[in-house]
Every structure is written in C-alpha cells, then in structure tokens.
Amino acid sequence: MKAQVVTPELRQWILEQAKAGCRPEDVLASMQASGWDGAVAEQALEDTLSQFLAERAQQAALPPPVPVPGPLLDGAPTQLVLADRTVQVLLTMHNPRVVLFGGFLSDDECEALIEDSRPRMTRSETVVNATGGSEVHGSRTSHGMFFARGETPLCTRIEQRIAELLRWPVINGEGLQVLHYAPGAEYRPHYDYFDPLQPGMASVLQRGGQRVGTLLMYLNTPPRGGATVFPDVALEVAPIKGHALFFSYDRAHAMTKTLHGGAPVVEGDKWVATKWLREGEFR
C-alpha cells in the first residue's frame, strides 16, 4: 500500500477548519471519510495544530511553556496501579489538562487527615501580589492549615503516592494543605500560578519556582454543592470522598484555561486536601 504523504495543502485545510470552529474530532472523522489512514490523519492533525498554537503563542509574546507533572495515560488506561494503591481514571481533558482519579485516598486516610488538621484550623488567606505575603480576603471563605512536607507518616505516604502518580519529585511539592468549607463557604475563581509581573512574587518564586500543577483531594462528600468549577470550559467536578482532581499549567497565563474555583457548599460541609507542585525543589 502506498504511503500517504501529508502535504502543505492538507495542513492548510486543517488550519482553515480549526479557524472556522470545527472540533478536532470532527476534522479527524472527515479526513478518515476521505480515505486518510487513521494514524496518519491523527498525527497530521496533532502536528499542524501544535505548530499553529506555538506560532500564535510566540506572536502574542506569551511566556514559554515549561515541563509539567502528569500521569502516564498512554493507551487510555481505566486504572493506574501504584506501589500501594490502584486508582481509577474517571475523566481526562486535554485543554485544560485535567484528570479525575477515583479512589486515590482510602476512607481511613481521608478521615485521618481531617482529624489531624482540626486543631490547627484558621481562616484561609490569599497571596498579596504587592508584597508576597498573605491576607484574609472575601473571595476565600474557608478555613485551613498546612502540614510541613513529610510531617507525619500519613503525609509521607500520600506525598510518595502523588509523586509516583504524577511523575514529579516529592521535593518539588509544597506541604499538604487541608481546607474546610462550612455551608455557604466558597473560593471564587482564581489561578494557582503566581503572576511573575507582580512586585511581591519574586520572593515567592525563589522558594521553588513557579507552580505548575495542582492535585485536589476530596476528603468527604457534601450532600449538595461544593463542586470544583472551571468557568472557561464550563466544567464542574463534584466533590466525592477519596477522589482526586489533577490539573496542570505550563505557563503563568490565562491561555492555560485553568481558572477554577470552589462553588459554595449548599448543604453539609466540604473537606479537601491540596498539593501544589513547583518547577523545582520547594524550600
């Protein structure tokens, strides 16, 4: 069978479809219906769109992308077998890069994290861009606390599990943060990366570089409300005990579409644990 050659004309046609708002899966289906081999068509689509996005990012003077953590999902596995636990892959999204894992924490681990954190709960704060410090702000109405990295055997076990799952060194992670949302509490949409153009961020970035990934672990299941929302892509993830939500951002820019928030808790309360991952060793 004669090898199919991806021509400049085909690449131009792919770009025209993308600019017209066609979904990649529809473009791929059209190519296959026209006789293109599935693997060749998929590679042509991926290469053409990746090059187009890279050129557009360069033209817009965007910050360059950096390596990010992430699970190994080659072959679309439904579960990942880790050293001490098997987790389910429940949802994947490529833009933004979002993956939902089922059964990442056991019920006992969820309950132990909650109990270990209770005595140290204080009103949650947000980062102050001008100084690099933190303050109580009306956009965030939860209570929370931080564990030092490796502070307890439970923290160590969870941190090692995260490192294996996301293929990112333990030392590049901040300590676990546990948050408690009472009825009505919320965290309005925000980004987890630090804005390097703000005057107070230099000292924050010195501690390990930019944040490049977030793993949000749900420690209980509120009866109503408390979803994690991504407004740019109309995505809502329900908080289910033991599940973990991962998302990454390869640059400090809105193009990552990682604007997200914690919707108000409507009934009951919500407990979560957050792990932020840095470019380098967090100190």
Side-chain angles (χ1 to χ4, degrees):
M1 181 177 177
K2 187 177 180 180
Q4 294 181 314
V5 179
V6 178
T7 63
E9 289 76 16
L10 176 63
R11 295 185 186 278
Q12 182 60 38
W13 178 83
I14 291 172
L15 287 178
E16 290 172 355
Q17 306 315 302
K19 291 176 181 178
C22 296
R23 299 183 307 169
E25 54 265 39
D26 293 336
V27 177
L28 181 61
S30 179
M31 292 174 67
Q32 291 177 290
S34 298
W36 284 92
D37 175 76
V40 175
E42 187 172 351
Q43 191 63 52
L45 183 65
E46 181 177 346
D47 291 346
T48 302
L49 294 181
S50 294
Q51 182 179 353
F52 172 69
L53 291 173
E55 291 173 353
R56 191 166 69 174
Q58 185 176 16
Q59 293 169 358
L62 297 175
V66 299
V68 297
L72 182 61
L73 298 178
D74 294 352
T78 57
Q79 61 181 24
L80 297 174
V81 180
L82 307 179
D84 68 339
R85 193 164 183 82
T86 297
V87 301
Q88 289 74 50
V89 181
L90 303 180
L91 174 148
T92 62
M93 177 178 278
H94 291 279
N95 187 23
R97 187 49 168 157
V98 175
V99 185
L100 179 65
F101 301 103
F104 180 76
L105 296 177
S106 69
D107 285 355
D108 288 345
E109 288 171 333
C110 292
E111 290 154 15
L113 274 178
I114 291 174
E115 292 309 312
D116 289 349
S117 67
R118 282 187 189 276
R120 291 158 57 180
M121 282 284 159
T122 60
R123 175 69 186 273
S124 299
E125 298 182 337
T126 59
V127 174
V128 180
N129 286 327
T131 65
S134 59
E135 66 178 4
V136 171
H137 193 278
S139 65
R140 192 181 194 189
T141 52
S142 61
H143 286 71
M145 56 79 65
F146 275 96
F147 288 106
R149 193 171 57 223
E151 180 176 331
T152 69
L154 176 59
C155 288
T156 297
R157 184 166 74 246
I158 294 173
E159 287 163 352
Q160 290 175 342
R161 189 180 302 159
I162 293 170
E164 181 185 1
L165 175 68
L166 300 180
R167 301 179 295 164
W168 208 248
V170 170
I171 59 173
N172 287 22
E174 300 180 26
L176 291 173
Q177 183 188 42
V178 176
L179 295 167
H180 176 228
Y181 292 81
E186 65 177 326
Y187 194 176
R188 294 172 192 163
H190 60 282
Y191 297 100
D192 280 353
Y193 55 72
F194 305 111
D195 185 348
L197 301 180
Q198 296 296 327
M201 293 300 100
S203 60
V204 175
L205 293 171
Q206 285 178 353
R207 298 191 64 192
Q210 187 60 265
R211 284 177 176 168
V212 289
T214 300
L215 187 73
L216 184 63
M217 295 156 275
Y218 302 108
L219 305 183
N220 77 320
T221 304
R224 289 197 298 154
T228 304
V229 299
F230 291 80
D232 288 347
V233 292
L235 174 65
E236 294 189 7
V237 179
I240 304 298
K241 185 176 183 178
H243 287 191
L245 177 67
F246 167 73
F247 53 98
S248 61
Y249 24 97
D250 63 2
R251 66 198 82 191
H253 195 276
M255 70 169 292
T256 62
K257 298 183 181 179
T258 54
L259 182 71
H260 67 285
V265 176
V266 177
E267 180 182 349
D269 58 0
K270 181 177 76 169
W271 288 85
V272 299
T274 303
K275 183 72 168 182
W276 285 297
L277 304 169
R278 299 283 192 111
E279 289 180 277
E281 180 178 354
F282 178 72
R283 301 178 297 276

